[in-house]
Amino acid sequence: MSNIILFKIELERLVKQLHSINDNIFDMFHVFYDYVSIIEKQPEIKEMLKNEGSKYDKLHSKMLEDYNTKKISKEQMHILHQRNLMTNIWFNYGYFEALKRIMDDPKNDIVMQLPIRPIDLEIPLAPYRKQLHIDDFMVVHNKIMSFLNKLEFSQVDGANDDVGQKESEGIPSNQWSYNEETKILSIGNERVKISKLRSATKQAMLFEYLISNGPYQQTNYYDISVSAFKVDENDYKCTSCLTACRSINDKIRKNTALKIDDFLDFSTGKNGWVKVNSKYISAY
């Protein structure tokens, strides 16, 4: 997989999209469909899922065999099912894979072929029912993101063999990339940690929202406040975004040998906006 960072950003975008859907379960199904369609085109993820499926089948067969031969009781089988099978990603992924397969054929009826409760067909979709579907989906998403992180780190370790050559060649000082997991912005050979916390600060939330919506497009402070900071639209003020922009540029300036102070291009005022300065080229 050549561009894990960009791939992770796209998956996270779909997850965020789920939270903005609140009235129709079929809208959620389309997000699930898009997600599965994307990951099924990635050989490494398909292989990981295949292995999880094989593991699930073996555990399931062994559990049934032990129960049928009286080696375990019904109660013990129930515990094993919860502990070993329901925690296997295939338990959840199989549902979303089946959903995609059904949706690929317009002749299929989702409601008839999937175990969908009548309450899920009500409009608006009850918030607690929506959250249950999201929780099931997040089991799959978190497993895939964990797998991608390991894959990303392994690629970095493999690249260390050529580190001497790469350092001698150098990286263009205006080329940049961002790791959402570690919150580290790379500009050329410089490294800046946008947020020291695992949970995103407003600087990280603004920066990641900017990237997901197109880093070189002017993104309004209002949109960032409402969508990223979750501020009520009636309480919108530009100051939080403006402060975050200034803090990011100041942090980059203080932590780069080149004293880069213009990475973000932004304006002031209620109708203010921010974007990545076009002189810096994305490495994605």
Side-chain angles (χ1 to χ4, degrees):
M1 190 179 299
S2 60
N3 203 326
I4 297 177
I5 294 176
L6 187 59
F7 185 68
K8 286 163 61 178
I9 290 174
E10 177 60 17
L11 296 185
E12 290 286 10
R13 183 189 69 79
L14 289 172
V15 169
K16 290 177 182 177
Q17 187 177 338
L18 272 180
H19 293 278
S20 66
I21 297 170
N22 58 16
D23 63 348
N24 193 322
I25 194 172
F26 295 104
D27 289 335
M28 297 184 72
F29 284 168
H30 282 292
V31 177
F32 297 150
Y33 178 91
D34 290 343
Y35 191 101
V36 175
S37 297
I38 291 174
I39 65 175
E40 284 190 343
K41 295 177 182 177
Q42 302 299 325
E44 294 94 338
I45 296 181
K46 286 182 66 177
E47 183 65 22
M48 181 271 288
L49 292 171
K50 180 181 177 181
N51 291 337
E52 289 295 324
S54 298
K55 188 189 303 181
Y56 180 95
D57 291 339
K58 290 178 182 178
L59 290 170
H60 187 258
S61 297
K62 181 67 166 58
M63 183 186 70
L64 290 179
E65 179 184 346
D66 288 347
Y67 175 69
N68 291 330
T69 56
K70 309 298 183 182
K71 290 182 180 180
I72 59 174
S73 65
K74 187 174 183 179
E75 290 74 18
Q76 289 174 316
M77 182 176 71
H78 179 67
I79 293 172
L80 288 172
H81 185 269
Q82 288 183 310
R83 189 185 70 188
N84 297 338
L85 297 182
M86 291 181 68
T87 55
N88 183 290
I89 186 178
W90 198 258
F91 185 84
N92 293 70
Y93 180 73
Y95 176 87
F96 300 108
E97 184 191 46
L99 172 63
K100 179 185 180 298
R101 189 168 60 250
I102 293 169
M103 292 179 68
D104 278 334
D105 187 345
K107 296 179 181 178
N108 287 328
D109 188 333
I110 298 175
V111 178
M112 294 298 294
Q113 297 191 43
L114 287 180
I116 300 175
R117 297 186 181 185
I119 191 173
D120 287 333
L121 300 177
E122 295 180 2
I123 298 178
L125 178 64
Y128 81 94
R129 291 300 304 170
K130 172 189 174 182
Q131 191 59 49
L132 286 174
H133 286 283
I134 291 178
D135 289 345
D136 286 342
F137 176 76
M138 289 305 294
V139 172
V140 175
H141 176 67
N142 290 336
K143 178 70 175 182
I144 290 173
M145 292 299 286
S146 177
F147 173 77
L148 289 173
N149 288 337
K150 292 177 182 178
L151 191 63
E152 186 176 10
F153 293 146
S154 69
Q155 289 183 356
V156 171
D157 289 340
N160 285 338
D161 295 337
D162 301 321
V163 68
Q165 179 182 351
K166 289 185 177 180
E167 286 182 351
S168 64
E169 291 175 355
I171 301 173
S173 60
N174 67 334
Q175 189 175 82
W176 67 275
S177 64
Y178 178 70
N179 187 315
E180 189 169 341
E181 179 70 18
T182 61
K183 312 298 182 192
I184 292 178
L185 169 68
S186 301
I187 309 176
N189 290 313
E190 309 273 16
R191 302 289 182 270
V192 180
K193 197 168 184 64
I194 297 298
S195 173
K196 294 182 178 180
L197 305 176
R198 297 287 289 182
S199 55
T201 59
K202 283 192 175 180
Q203 289 94 334
M205 287 189 285
L206 179 144
F207 195 70
E208 288 163 13
Y209 184 82
L210 177 64
I211 291 176
S212 66
N213 285 274
Y216 300 109
Q217 298 180 16
Q218 293 183 2
T219 300
N220 296 328
Y221 291 158
Y222 175 84
D223 293 336
I224 295 172
S225 295
V226 174
S227 300
F229 297 169
K230 305 301 180 185
V231 173
D232 187 279
E233 56 184 15
N234 295 319
D235 297 328
Y236 163 66
K237 294 180 180 179
C238 69
T239 51
S240 292
C241 289
L242 187 57
T243 299
C245 291
R246 286 172 173 164
S247 296
I248 291 172
N249 268 4
D250 191 49
K251 187 172 294 186
I252 294 173
R253 178 182 59 79
K254 290 179 178 178
N255 292 280
T256 54
L258 297 175
K259 300 300 179 185
I260 298 170
D261 62 0
D262 61 350
F263 186 78
L264 290 185
D265 186 9
F266 57 92
S267 66
T268 60
K270 187 176 181 180
N271 297 318
W273 49 264
V274 58
K275 68 184 183 71
V276 173
N277 191 324
S278 59
K279 69 184 282 187
Y280 298 100
I281 302 171
S282 172
Y284 299 145

